C-alpha cells in the first residue's frame, strides 16, 4: 500500500516510523526532516500549509491512503486536496478540523449538542463586552479563536495579575482578529486523551500528560510542549471515572460533528482538565499531540497503517495498546523559547541512544553538509519506554545525554517528585468539595 504522509516534525517522525513498518511510505514536507526522508521511498518539499501547492506537488502521482498531520495543514484544507486527488483519507477535512481552528465554533458545538465539560465562556467583539465578561467571571482564560501553536492562551494568575491586564490582552486580540474567546478560569490538572475516529466510532489511546511550561517546576513561558509521560490506561492523579467521562465527551463530539454534516475522521485530541467538579474541556485538536504522539505510538500493538485504513474506510478497527509507561523529553535549542540559538550544530550519538534503549525523534532540525543543525523550534524528542515510570524516565533522561551541542531539556518531566505534586494537588482539590 502506498501511503502519503504530510508533515515534518517529531510527531510525524513517530507516525512515519510506524507506517513504514508495513507500507510504502511517501512524505510531503515543508522542510526536509532527515529521519522521515530516510523512512520514505520518496519525499517532496513544498509549502504544506498551502493546499494548491500540495495539489501541484502530488499531481500525476498515485497513493492509496493519505494522512495530513499538522494543524495548519488541516485548516488549509490539505485533507480535502488529497481526497480530491482520489486517495482514501485518514485525517479530517477542513470542515471537521474546525473543532480545532475555531475555538468559538468548538464551544458552540458543545452547547448546541448538549456535550458536557464547557466552562462559562463568551466570544466577544468589543472592548466593552470584554471588560464586562472579565469583571463577571473574575479569573479568566483569554483565548484567540484561531491556531497559535499552543502559545496564545493567557490566564489570570499565570499571565495577568489583575483584570485590566486581562482586558488589555483581550483588546489586543480583538484589534488583531476581530473577536476573542473569554472563559472562566478552571483549576485542576490537565491531561490529554486522544482517539482514533471513523466519523461515527471512537477508540481511545492511553492518556498522556504534557508539560507546556518551558522551565522546571512548570514555570516560565508556554511552549509547544516540553515533554510528556503516560502510565498505561490511567494517569497517577486521575480516577478511572475521569477517563470514562473524557471518553464520553469525545464520543459526543464525534456524534455532534456527524449531525452537523462534517463527520470527523482522524485523530481527535481532547485537552481535558480534571477539576474538583469533574472533567472540563480545555480544547480539542484535530490531530495527534506533539509530543503525545511519541508516547502513544510507541505503545500501539499492531499496524498503524491498518488502523488508518480502517478509519478512512469508516470501519474503525479498534487498536490495542500496551500497558507500559513512557516518558518523552524534548531537547530544545539554548535560549528557547525566548531567544533560541538557531543554526548551531548538534551531534547525535545513535549508538549511545540505542545502548541505553532510548529512541530519538527528529523535530525541527535540518541537515547541511552532513551536519544536523538547530532551528528556532524544538529539536528532538527523546523517548523512554519501560514497565515502570521510574525506568522510562531514567531511560529518557539518559538518552538526552547522547545528543551533544547547545540544546537543553526539562529534567523534571516524568520524575516521581513532579508527579507526586500533581497527585497531591488533585487530592487536595477533590477534598475541598
Ligand atoms: N501537546 C500539545 C499539542 O500538541 O497541541
Amino acid at each position: 500500500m502506498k501511503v502519503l504522509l504530510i508533515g515534518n516534525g517529531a510527531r510525524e517522525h513517530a507516525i512515519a516510523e510506524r507506517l513504514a513498518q508495513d507500507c510504502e511510505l511517501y512524505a510531503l514536507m515543508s522542510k526536509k526532516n532527515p529521519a522521515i526522508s530516510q523512512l520514505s521511498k520518496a519525499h517532496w518539499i513544498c509549502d504544506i500549509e498551502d493546499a494548491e501547492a500540495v495539489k501541484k506537488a502530488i499531481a500525476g502521482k498515485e497513493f492509496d491512503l493519505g494522512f495530513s498531520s499538522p494543524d495548519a495543514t488541516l485548516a488549509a484544507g490539505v485533507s480535502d486536496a488529497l481526497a480530491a486527488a482520489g486517495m482514501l483519507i485518514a485525517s479530517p477535512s477542513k470542515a471537521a478540523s474546525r473543532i480545532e481552528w475555531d475555538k468559538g465554533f468548538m464551544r458552540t458545538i458543545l452547547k448546541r449538542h448538549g456535550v458536557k465539560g464547557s466552562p462559562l465562556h463568551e466570544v466577544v467583539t468589543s472592548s466593552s463586552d470584554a471588560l464586562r465578561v472579565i469583571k463577571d467571571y473574575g479569573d479568566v482564560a483569554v483565548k484567540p479563536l484561531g491556531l497559535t501553536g499552543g502559545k496564545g492562551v493567557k490566564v489570570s494568575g499565570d499571565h495577568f495579575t489583575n483584570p485590566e491586564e486581562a482586558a488589555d490582552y483581550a483588546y489586543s486580540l480583538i484589534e488583531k482578529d476581530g473577536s476573542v474567546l473569554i472563559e472562566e478560569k478552571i483549576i485542576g490538572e490537565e491531561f490529554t486523551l486522544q482517539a482514533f475516529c471513523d466519523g461515527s466510532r471512537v477508540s481511545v489511546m492511553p492518556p498522556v500528560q504534557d508539560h507546556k511550561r518551558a522551565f522546571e517546576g512548570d514555570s516560565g513561558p508556554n511552549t509547544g510542549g516540553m515533554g510528556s509521560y503516560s502510565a498505561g490506561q490511567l494517569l497517577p492523579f486521575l480516577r478511572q471515572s475521569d477517563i470514562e467521562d473524557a471518553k464520553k465527551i469525545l464520543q459526543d463530539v464525534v456524534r455532534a460533528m456527524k449531525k452537523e454534516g462534517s463527520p470527523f475522521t482522524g485523530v481527535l485530541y481532547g485537552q481535558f482538565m480534571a477539576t474538583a467538579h469533574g472533567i472540563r474541556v480545555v480544547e480539542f485538536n484535530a490531530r495527534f499531540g506533539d509530543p503525545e504522539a511519541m508516547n502513544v505510538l510507541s505503545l500501539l500493538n499492531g499496524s498503524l497503517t491498518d488502523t488508518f485504513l480502517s478509519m478512512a474506510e469508516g470501519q474503525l478497527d479498534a487498536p490495542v495498546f500496551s500497558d507500559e509507561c513512557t516518558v518523552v523529553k524534548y531537547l530544545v535549542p539554548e535560549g528557547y523559547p525566548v531567544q533560541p540559538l538557531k543554526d548551531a550544530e548538534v551531534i547525535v550519538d545513535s549508538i549511545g541512544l540505542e545502548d541505553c534503549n532510548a529512541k530519538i525523534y527528529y523535530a525541527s532540525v535540518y541537515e547541511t553538509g552532513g551536519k544536523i543543525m538547530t532551528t528556532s523550534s524544538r529539536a528532538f524528542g527523546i523517548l523512554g519506554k519501560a514497565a515502570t515510570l521510574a525506568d522510562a524516565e531514567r531511560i529518557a533522561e539518559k538518552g538526552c545525554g547522547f545528543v551533544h551541542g547547545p540544546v537543553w531539556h526539562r529534567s523534571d518531566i516524568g520524575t516521581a517528585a513532579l508527579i507526586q505534586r500533581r497527585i497531591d494537588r488533585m487530592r487536595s482539590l477533590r477534598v475541598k468539595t
Side-chain angles (χ1 to χ4, degrees):
M1 169 139 51
K2 290 182 167 186
V3 179
L4 176 64
L5 171 66
I6 315 275
N8 44 263
R11 169 183 50 201
E12 287 76 30
H13 180 185
I15 297 167
E17 180 187 58
R18 293 308 308 256
L19 291 175
Q21 288 172 351
D22 55 8
C23 79
E24 202 168 273
L25 183 67
Y26 296 84
L28 196 55
M29 307 186 258
S30 282
K31 291 195 185 95
K32 180 178 159 185
N33 178 313
I36 297 176
S37 66
Q38 263 187 25
L39 289 163
S40 307
K41 182 136 196 252
H43 72 270
W44 305 278
I45 306 293
C46 77
D47 178 0
I48 60 172
E49 294 174 14
D50 175 348
E52 287 308 312
V54 168
K55 269 188 202 161
K56 272 193 203 132
I58 61 171
K61 304 176 177 78
E62 284 198 0
F63 306 98
D64 302 303
L65 180 68
F67 186 78
S68 184
S69 173
D71 44 4
T73 67
L74 300 170
V78 167
S79 290
D80 310 77
L82 301 186
M87 64 193 96
L88 285 164
I89 307 300
S91 49
S93 64
K94 178 172 180 172
S97 64
R98 190 172 174 195
I99 199 81
E100 172 167 9
W101 55 259
D102 182 349
K103 289 192 178 70
F105 170 80
M106 180 271 281
R107 291 292 179 211
T108 303
I109 290 297
L110 297 199
K111 199 174 199 168
R112 190 183 293 155
H113 295 270
V115 184
K116 289 194 177 141
S118 275
L120 289 174
H121 63 275
E122 206 170 308
V123 175
V124 297
T125 54
S126 73
S127 36
S128 56
D129 280 344
L131 195 57
R132 170 184 55 78
V133 174
I134 289 166
K135 283 191 170 155
D136 248 27
Y137 292 176
D139 284 347
V140 289
V142 179
K143 302 185 171 185
L145 296 190
L147 301 177
T148 58
K151 294 166 201 149
V153 175
K154 295 196 178 180
V155 180
S156 300
D158 296 342
H159 307 96
F160 314 127
T161 53
N162 56 53
E164 289 70 34
E165 284 176 18
D168 281 347
Y169 183 54
Y171 301 159
S172 73
L173 291 175
I174 291 170
E175 212 165 78
K176 186 161 77 71
D177 305 331
S179 54
V180 62
L181 174 64
I182 303 175
E183 298 179 349
E184 66 170 331
K185 180 180 175 177
I186 42 178
I187 296 172
E189 277 298 328
E190 283 193 32
F191 66 98
T192 301
L193 191 66
Q194 302 167 97
F196 294 110
C197 311
D198 70 358
S200 313
R201 275 164 293 237
V202 162
S203 173
V204 295
M205 307 178 214
V208 184
Q209 189 173 41
D210 184 19
H211 298 70
K212 287 206 170 67
R213 296 301 200 91
F215 307 133
E216 311 252 317
D218 293 323
S219 58
N222 277 346
T223 67
M226 293 297 290
S228 47
Y229 68 92
S230 71
Q233 309 307 319
L234 199 58
L235 287 166
F237 57 89
L238 291 179
R239 296 170 175 165
Q240 190 55 43
S241 60
D242 296 327
I243 298 293
E244 295 309 320
D245 292 347
K247 184 176 164 187
K248 165 97 172 58
I249 290 171
L250 291 173
Q251 281 167 335
D252 287 348
V253 166
V254 169
R255 204 167 296 134
M257 292 303 288
K258 191 173 181 182
K259 280 197 188 141
E260 290 284 321
S262 306
F264 190 97
T265 299
V267 173
L268 182 59
Y269 169 122
Q271 185 73 58
F272 296 102
M273 193 178 278
T275 76
H277 310 286
I279 296 303
R280 295 288 178 272
V281 172
V282 178
E283 63 182 18
F284 292 108
N285 295 329
R287 54 175 171 82
F288 281 112
D290 188 351
E292 292 96 326
M294 290 174 263
N295 300 92
V296 294
L297 290 175
S298 72
L299 298 168
L300 179 73
N301 290 332
S303 157
L304 183 63
T305 308
D306 286 351
T307 301
F308 276 7
L309 187 62
S310 73
M311 277 199 299
E313 288 178 329
Q315 298 291 335
L316 180 62
D317 193 3
V320 174
F321 290 86
S322 119
D323 276 337
E324 285 163 294
C325 300
T326 62
V327 173
V328 173
K329 303 199 187 210
Y330 248 121
L331 287 162
V332 296
E334 258 176 26
Y336 178 88
V338 183
Q339 265 195 313
L341 180 66
K342 48 185 193 165
D343 306 316
E345 187 184 358
V346 275
I347 295 168
V348 175
D349 176 353
S350 310
I351 296 173
L353 281 158
E354 214 175 304
D355 283 350
C356 80
N357 249 340
K359 293 193 89 164
I360 184 163
Y361 293 98
Y362 284 56
S364 211
V365 288
Y366 66 97
E367 204 177 331
T368 181
K371 293 179 179 171
I372 304 285
M373 314 294 282
T374 59
T375 68
S376 56
S377 296
R378 297 174 293 180
F380 303 99
I382 306 291
L383 168 81
K385 182 171 84 161
T388 65
L389 258 175
D391 284 344
E393 193 278 330
R394 222 176 346 259
I395 293 169
E397 187 61 30
K398 196 160 179 209
C400 289
F402 290 106
V403 179
H404 306 293
V407 287
W408 64 277
H409 68 283
R410 264 185 70 169
S411 60
D412 63 344
I413 290 172
T415 58
L418 189 60
I419 292 172
Q420 190 58 48
R421 282 224 294 280
R422 305 260 153 85
I423 296 170
D424 294 344
R425 183 156 176 268
M426 205 59 236
R427 196 173 287 145
S428 85
L429 282 174
R430 293 197 211 261
V431 163
K432 278 185 199 150
T433 56

